[in-house]
Amino acid sequence: DEESIRSLVRKVLEREGYRVLEAGSGAAALQVSLEHQGPIGLLLSDVVMPGMSGVELAENLSLRRPEMRTLLISGHTGEASLSSAKLPHGFAFLQKPFSLPDLLGKVRALLEKQQA
């Protein structure tokens, strides 16, 4: 939901060859998903957002796009308890602050797992 982080992440992912659909809120992400005709391999979302949490967004989108993987990020220490073992199938977690190589590694791993 933070524009500066969203912009940086989009630029890095695009530079790595990924196609990025960007939205500034959960509601906007739902709309973008409805309008996008092709597959969506990965949802990258902050956990804590105004209006709709990243978990709520991911659960909603997963119903429409079961092939989609989810990478949730958060800087809130209370969210650090979200471990991969506690997340629903296809969900992963990355604690902020994170390095760009860590982010890219998680993205690649999730997309490779999806293709397997």
Side-chain angles (χ1 to χ4, degrees):
D1 65 327
E2 295 177 45
E3 186 175 350
S4 61
I5 293 174
R6 194 173 65 245
S7 177
L8 174 63
V9 168
R10 177 184 45 79
K11 288 175 186 174
V12 168
L13 292 173
E14 288 177 342
R15 187 178 65 218
E16 293 295 316
Y18 296 106
R19 181 168 181 223
V20 178
L21 305 172
E22 186 176 350
S25 69
L30 289 174
Q31 187 62 39
V32 167
S33 174
L34 288 172
E35 293 171 1
H36 182 69
Q37 298 300 312
I40 296 177
L42 178 71
L43 168 67
L44 174 60
S45 177
D46 206 324
V47 173
V48 178
M49 298 186 298
M52 178 186 305
S53 76
V55 173
E56 291 170 319
L57 171 62
E59 289 173 340
N60 191 313
L61 286 178
S62 292
L63 295 173
R64 295 182 171 104
R65 296 180 176 273
E67 77 287 353
M68 183 188 74
R69 298 288 189 210
T70 298
L71 177 55
L72 298 171
I73 60 173
S74 181
H76 295 271
T77 55
E79 301 302 329
S81 63
L82 287 175
S83 69
S84 295
K86 294 181 181 179
L87 293 173
H89 175 72
F91 286 37
F93 181 74
L94 185 60
Q95 182 71 39
K96 285 193 250 179
F98 52 82
S99 70
L100 293 177
D102 287 343
L103 171 68
L104 290 171
K106 282 275 195 179
V107 167
R108 282 188 196 108
L110 286 165
L111 292 173
E112 286 171 6
K113 188 185 298 186
Q114 179 188 50
Q115 293 174 353

